[in-house]
Amino acid sequence: MTTLVFVHGWSVTNTSTYGSLPSSLQAQASAAGIPLTTADIWLSEYVSFDDAVTMPDVVRAFDHALRDLHLQDASFACITHSTGGPVVREWLRAQRERPGAFSTIRLTHLMMLAPANFGSALAQLGKGVLGRLKAWAGGVEPGQRILDWLELGSRESLSLNLDHIHGDDPAERGQYLFALSGDRPDRSLYDHINSYTGEDGSDGVVRMAAANLNARHAVLTRESGGDVNALALNVTTAPRSAFKLIPGASHSGTDQGVMASSPPATVEALLRCLKVRDAAGYRQLCDAFDAENAQRDANRVEKESVGPFPARVHIHDPRSMLVIRLADEGGEPLHGARLLFKAGTPPNPDWMPQGFMLDRQANSRDGNVVTFFLNHGLLAGVPRVADPDSSRRTLRPAMDSHRPYSATIEPTDLSGLVHHALATTLARDDLFPIFGPHQTTVLDVVLPRHVREGVFRLTQSRAPEDFHHPEPGDVIP
């Protein structure tokens, strides 16, 4: 057994955050044929609650700390929680891109519990007044620079994830990545000021789609020689990655926390991950996790007890996250542009399934980047949902898919010397395949940039000519 390193999440100030998970793993490892002793386990203590500390700072310090372990076989396995997942993934990228500056220690298994791989909707709130007050009450700073990374649609998280999507398959070089996510919030920890803490489709902090590395990069751009205002779709899919939902587990807390409460399902899943030894075994575990997730998704209904009142019903449809970056062919960000989803033939925005849009959040630093949270089940079409306590009672009727789905982009500048025009997706392109259940898609929308002849003209006239109100002229081809 190689050394096992635990890496915690954002704003942690005590190693009690790991709960009993290290000891539970050690106790059950032998039965699974994995020798694991106390000497093999290291618990991380890194600082994310200092506003001056950046993600690269943590990565650099992580690399330095690893060098002090004096590993016998120069390799280790790692279990992370929340922000710890992106920390180690950033280290892997730095190790690959800067081999002279970072150690050659090899990571074999990266097992991420509730990883904020695509960020968290809570990060933006953590950077606000409430987050600063909470940090002050705890005697620490919010950790603004780490929260910048964690904000939905941040340039840093997108850079890392696009590198992964367009990269090679880590399993083919003996490096195995696993994302394990709780499938619901701990209702007892619900914060009435912050509804994200009770958001279905998340564990109360991180959305399942944001944890999953099975992601896509889609680009909408005009085809060469095609209609200037028609956008064609191109899609790249990430290498397959193991993703497991832990039923009933939440992000944190000693009752339901996917790590702190050390649920048997977490321990069992981690041991299965540690037993993977080759790419074939990794693919087999991916298959097994997918089948178990599908079984979980078939059981959609959760009834939340509210004392003497009727139980609240939660229908756990699979969700998708869509991160849209709006720019033009010159690389200029488009602020204020409107993206309008449409359904059916002919396309009609009123035909989109009712309730498909769950949330929308613009990035605070890059306003042209907007993250949408969508009900994948409603987009796909769903069967009737019966009351588990009375199968004859319908909680929600069957709903058909309204495919094909398309989009129109409406920029704010439709005229002028330099402007953009309304653009739509090609009729042949249905947007639905870019969405995956419990998955994230990064969508780059690239609008044609129309430059008119009036920007630059030549004249042979020697008489003074005023051109502070130039005629726009035609669009330059």
Side-chain angles (χ1 to χ4, degrees), residues 24 40-41 51 68 82 85 93 138 156 185 188 195 209 215 232 287 293 299 309 315 323 325 362 378 416 455 464 473:
S24 296
D40 297 321
I41 298 175
D51 285 344
D68 289 341
S82 195
R93 180 167 65 157
E156 297 88 354
S188 67
S195 61
D287 290 339
N293 293 340
N299 184 19
F309 305 102
I315 300 177
V323 183
R325 298 192 295 188
L378 296 182
V455 169

Side-chain angles (χ1 to χ4, degrees), residues 442-464:
V442 179
L443 175 62
D444 279 312
V445 178
V446 185
L447 285 190
R449 184 178 178 88
H450 296 314
V451 180
R452 294 190 174 268
E453 294 172 337
V455 169
F456 197 113
R457 287 191 173 100
L458 298 174
T459 180
Q460 290 186 317
S461 173
R462 297 298 187 269

Side-chain angles (χ1 to χ4, degrees), residues 17 19 45 60-61 105 115-116 134 139 180 225 236 269 301 304 330 375 456 469-470:
T17 189
E45 300 176 355
R60 182 178 172 187
I105 298 169
K134 184 177 180 181
L180 312 177
T236 302
V301 179
E304 177 190 358
N375 188 316
F456 197 113
H469 291 303

Side-chain angles (χ1 to χ4, degrees), residues 171-217:
E172 294 299 326
R173 46 184 165 82
Q175 193 172 79
Y176 311 111
L177 277 57
F178 312 85
L180 312 177
S181 173
D183 73 339
R184 64 196 57 194
D186 184 341
R187 307 291 176 190
S188 67
L189 299 179
Y190 178 71
D191 182 348
H192 293 273
I193 299 178
N194 179 5
S195 61
Y196 285 124
T197 58
E199 183 180 54
D200 289 337
S202 80
D203 63 6
V205 175
V206 174
R207 293 166 177 169
M208 290 172 257
N212 195 349
L213 286 179
N214 292 293
R216 296 171 181 81
H217 181 207

Side-chain angles (χ1 to χ4, degrees), residues 130-476:
L130 289 176
R132 290 195 294 271
L133 286 173
K134 184 177 180 181
W136 174 81
V140 296
E141 294 175 338
Q144 293 281 353
R145 302 297 297 277
I146 302 298
L147 288 170
D148 283 344
W149 196 107
L150 291 172
E151 192 175 348
L152 294 178
S154 76
R155 63 195 74 154
E156 297 88 354
S157 69
L158 290 178
S159 173
L160 178 65
N161 288 308
L162 290 174
D163 178 76
H164 169 73
I165 291 170
H166 291 276
D168 63 357
D169 186 351
E172 294 299 326
R173 46 184 165 82
Q175 193 172 79
Y176 311 111
L177 277 57
F178 312 85
L180 312 177
S181 173
D183 73 339
R184 64 196 57 194
D186 184 341
R187 307 291 176 190
S188 67
L189 299 179
Y190 178 71
D191 182 348
H192 293 273
I193 299 178
N194 179 5
S195 61
Y196 285 124
T197 58
E199 183 180 54
D200 289 337
S202 80
D203 63 6
V205 175
V206 174
R207 293 166 177 169
M208 290 172 257
N212 195 349
L213 286 179
N214 292 293
R216 296 171 181 81
H217 181 207
V219 180
L220 282 172
T221 187
R222 66 172 170 177
E223 291 181 307
S224 177
D227 184 344
V228 71
N229 292 322
L231 304 181
L233 181 65
N234 299 280
V235 184
T236 302
T237 302
R240 191 182 185 193
S241 184
F243 176 68
K244 167 70 174 170
L245 294 173
I246 307 296
S250 63
H251 191 81
S252 56
T254 56
D255 293 329
Q256 291 179 223
V258 70
M259 179 174 70
S261 69
S262 188
T266 297
V267 175
E268 187 259 350
L270 289 172
L271 292 174
R272 292 165 73 186
C273 296
L274 285 168
K275 292 172 72 173
V276 169
R277 288 292 176 263
D278 53 40
Y282 182 74
R283 288 190 291 270
Q284 289 175 0
L285 189 56
C286 288
D287 290 339
F289 282 172
D290 287 349
E292 292 159 17
N293 293 340
Q295 186 176 9
R296 174 266 176 200
D297 285 345
N299 184 19
R300 296 173 185 250
V301 179
E302 174 196 358
K303 289 193 172 184
E304 177 190 358
S305 175
V306 286
F309 305 102
R312 293 193 186 102
V313 175
H314 300 268
I315 300 177
H316 290 285
D317 293 321
R319 267 72 169 175
S320 299
M321 205 161 76
L322 180 65
V323 183
I324 298 180
R325 298 192 295 188
L326 295 166
D328 66 19
E329 294 169 327
E332 292 290 324
L334 294 179
H335 296 285
R338 181 186 180 205
L339 186 139
L340 188 64
F341 291 105
K342 299 180 179 180
T345 305
N348 189 328
D350 293 333
W351 292 350
M352 290 299 294
Q354 186 175 5
F356 85 98
M357 178 74 69
L358 302 171
D359 185 65
R360 176 175 54 193
Q361 186 182 107
N363 186 271
S364 65
R365 291 184 298 156
D366 297 311
N368 65 311
V369 182
V370 183
T371 299
F372 294 88
F373 197 39
L374 310 174
N375 188 316
H376 183 273
L378 296 182
L379 292 170
V382 289
R384 167 183 175 268
V385 177
D387 188 332
D389 298 325
S390 175
S391 60
R392 299 177 68 177
R393 181 183 172 218
T394 298
L395 295 178
R396 187 180 66 192
M399 302 179 67
D400 295 330
S401 172
H402 294 189
R403 296 175 64 181
Y405 298 115
S406 56
T408 296
I409 298 87
E410 302 175 352
T412 55
D413 56 336
L414 297 174
S415 62
L417 290 173
V418 178
H419 68 95
H420 306 85
L422 293 175
T424 60
T425 53
L426 290 173
R428 70 172 189 240
D429 289 331
D430 179 4
L431 293 181
F432 179 75
I434 75 172
F435 306 122
H438 312 303
Q439 295 178 13
T440 293
T441 299
V442 179
L443 175 62
D444 279 312
V445 178
V446 185
L447 285 190
R449 184 178 178 88
H450 296 314
V451 180
R452 294 190 174 268
E453 294 172 337
V455 169
F456 197 113
R457 287 191 173 100
L458 298 174
T459 180
Q460 290 186 317
S461 173
R462 297 298 187 269
E465 293 184 1
D466 184 292
F467 59 92
H468 74 277
H469 291 303
E471 287 295 323
D474 294 332
V475 173
I476 299 172

